[in-house]
């Protein structure tokens, strides 16, 4: 098994075993920003599609990775990798080990290219929405790998041959955290036909970042369903914990909840996983920290504003 070595600007090295991505250590700066060279414009969505070819969704569930999947690297360029200076709130953070209930999407070229586009402040709104929708589709399909399946035997059209396969067990419910989580609903519905969708409205105080639950609308049989909780950003973890608690109060066990996000800060991951160790947390990338306004750094900005055009 080969080993890939990346030398970082702070004089440390990360090692990631390939292709299993088995190590789970994230250092003080864990997001690619590309090779240290003159800045280049982000690739177009069509370019990202053409570049990756067979680098589609994951074929095997992975429980973690030693590097963030979405740092927007330079697509295979070799040499030293430049990292941004850690934010004031994250500069003193020690190396971070992913909790065991975090499922980090493998850092495929497709994920990295798409995350580069949505991270860029220069990306047009049309390209941003297109790329965000593709990332969401990939991460939703990845999250479905962690739902339970049961053995199923089917007969194929060829000579009555028998195939031993699997089928999803139980009923699925999507619950979006309004408003940004609503951007993830079409991807879930395109994968799970006629999937029911619940809603949770949580407002975060702009001054204190403290969350307040305003509304929760869930089906009567929510306790019997496997729930995909949809919220693209996991920053402080306050809203995520409140949404998870709302599901627990409705009778859903932790083991039936999968929190699905596009991007997570280390602080938010640590807070959610410490409070709810049996909830699976799925994300495409893990960023180093938060700024003074509790935005993920380097992040993508306000996901809901950029997606719905209110930025």
């Amino acid at each position: 098994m080969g080993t890939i070595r990346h030398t970082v600007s702070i004089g440390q090295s990360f090692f990631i075993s390939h292709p299993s991505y088995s190590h789970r250590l994230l250092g003080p700066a864990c997001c690619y920003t590309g090779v240290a060279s003159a800045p280049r414009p982000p690739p177009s969505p069509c370019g990202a599609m053409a570049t990756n070819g067979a680098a589609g969704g994951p074929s095997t569930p992975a429980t973690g990775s030693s590097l963030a999947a979405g740092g927007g690297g330079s697509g295979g360029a070799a040499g030293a990798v430049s990292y941004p200076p850690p934010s004031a709130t994250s500069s003193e953070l020690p190396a971070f080990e992913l909790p065991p209930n975090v499922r980090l999407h493998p850092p495929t070229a497709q994920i990295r290219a798409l995350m580069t586009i949505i991270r860029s402040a220069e990306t047009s709104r049309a390209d941003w929405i297109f790329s965000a929708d593709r990332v969401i589709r990939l991460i939703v399909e990845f999250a479905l790998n962690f739902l339970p399946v049961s053995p199923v035997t089917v007969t194929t059209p060829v000579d009555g041959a028998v195939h031993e396969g699997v089928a999803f067990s139980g009923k699925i419910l999507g619950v979006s955290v309004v408003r940004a989580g609503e951007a993830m609903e079409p991807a879930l519905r395109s994968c799970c036909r006629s999937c029911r969708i619940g809603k949770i409205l949580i407002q975060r105080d702009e001054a204190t970042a403290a969350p307040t639950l305003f509304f929760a609308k869930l089906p009567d049989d929510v306790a019997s369903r496997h729930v995909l909780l949809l919220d693209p950003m996991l920053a402080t973890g306050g809203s995520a914990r409140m949404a998870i608690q709302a599901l627990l109060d409705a009778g859903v066990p932790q083991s039936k909840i999968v929190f699905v996000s596009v991007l997570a800060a280390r602080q938010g991951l640590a807070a959610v996983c410490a409070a709810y160790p049996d909830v699976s947390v799925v994300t495409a990338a893990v960023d180093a920290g938060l700024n003074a306004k509790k935005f993920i750094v380097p992040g993508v900005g306000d996901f809901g504003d950029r997606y719905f055009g209110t930025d």
Side-chain angles (χ1 to χ4, degrees), residues 58-75:
S59 58
T60 302
T63 57
S65 167
S66 62
L67 291 177
S74 55

Side-chain angles (χ1 to χ4, degrees), residues 38-240:
R40 294 180 294 174
S44 69
C46 294
M49 290 164 55
T51 299
N52 293 291
S59 58
T60 302
T63 57
S65 167
S66 62
L67 291 177
S74 55
V81 179
S82 174
Y83 290 84
S87 68
T89 57
S90 64
S91 59
E92 302 302 321
L93 287 175
F96 177 68
E97 184 174 352
L98 286 177
N101 52 327
V102 174
R103 282 75 168 108
L104 180 60
H105 194 295
T108 62
Q110 183 170 209
I111 281 285
R112 291 177 60 196
L114 292 168
M115 290 296 292
T116 300
I117 295 171
I118 68 172
R119 286 185 186 277
S120 174
E122 305 302 320
T123 301
S124 69
R125 181 166 179 256
D127 284 351
W128 199 93
I129 294 172
F130 178 86
S131 301
D133 282 340
R134 289 201 59 216
V135 173
I136 291 168
R137 175 64 182 257
L138 289 172
I139 202 66
V140 165
E141 291 192 355
F142 181 62
L144 292 174
N145 287 318
F146 305 104
L147 296 178
V149 295
S150 300
V152 171
T153 300
V154 297
T155 302
T156 79
V158 183
D159 299 333
V162 174
H163 171 72
E164 302 293 335
V166 298
F168 283 114
S169 301
K171 297 178 290 185
I172 298 173
L173 171 69
V175 176
S176 61
V177 179
V178 180
R179 150 187 81 151
E182 292 176 310
M184 305 177 75
E185 292 178 11
L188 178 58
R189 281 205 168 108
S190 67
C191 296
C192 304
R193 186 174 57 184
S194 303
C195 178
R196 293 190 181 187
I197 301 290
K199 301 279 187 177
I200 294 178
L201 173 60
I202 297 173
Q203 183 69 43
R204 190 174 78 162
D205 187 284
E206 295 295 335
T208 65
T212 301
L213 175 65
F214 284 96
F215 176 81
K217 183 64 175 177
L218 306 169
D220 293 337
D221 64 347
V222 60
S224 66
R225 293 177 178 267
H226 294 277
V227 178
L228 296 178
L229 183 58
L230 310 175
D231 193 353
M233 298 288 101
L234 176 55
T236 66
S239 296

